[in-house]
């Protein structure tokens, strides 16, 4: 993955997750009424920096862990026998 693709992917995924989760959680907690959109906006402004930070720090570790869990069993047997 190129650096440009990494940064675009990181920004877009954190933007998407912050938008969806802040909207859903604030809507469920207070109801989807006329007062909800401004609260969603405030929630989003707090959520996006955290989502971006987690996307840059925790997500790479999760990807590595998922790759480790999904590695072929033959590779595991070869590593263990050495």
């Amino acid at each position: 993955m190129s650096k440009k693709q990494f940064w675009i992917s990181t920004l877009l995924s954190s933007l998407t997750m912050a938008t969806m989760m802040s909207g859903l959680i604030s809507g469920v907690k207070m109801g989807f009424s006329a007062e909800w959109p401004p609260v969603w906006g405030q929630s989003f402004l707090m959520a996006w920096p955290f989502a971006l930070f987690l996307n840059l720090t925790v997500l790479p570790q999760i990807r590595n862990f998922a790759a480790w869990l999904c590695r072929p069993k033959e590779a595991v047997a070869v590593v263990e026998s050495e």
Side-chain angles (χ1 to χ4, degrees):
M1 177 182 305
S2 71
K3 284 192 178 226
K4 181 179 180 180
Q5 183 180 358
F6 170 80
W7 283 104
I8 290 173
S9 173
T10 298
L11 290 171
L12 290 177
S13 64
S14 63
L15 173 71
T16 302
M17 290 302 293
T19 301
M20 300 302 289
M21 296 305 292
S22 63
L24 180 64
I25 292 169
S26 63
V28 167
K29 286 184 87 172
M30 69 177 295
F32 296 96
S33 63
E35 293 83 27
W36 168 66
V39 173
W40 182 0
Q42 291 172 350
S43 299
F44 170 76
L45 289 176
M46 288 187 352
W48 193 18
F50 289 108
L52 182 59
F53 174 75
L54 292 172
N55 217 335
L56 289 169
T57 58
V58 176
L59 190 58
Q61 300 304 317
I62 292 170
R63 286 185 183 132
N64 290 339
F65 182 60
W68 179 77
L69 288 173
C70 296
R71 68 183 178 196
K73 291 184 180 184
E74 297 83 34
V76 173
V78 170
V79 170
E80 289 176 356
S81 66
E82 294 178 356

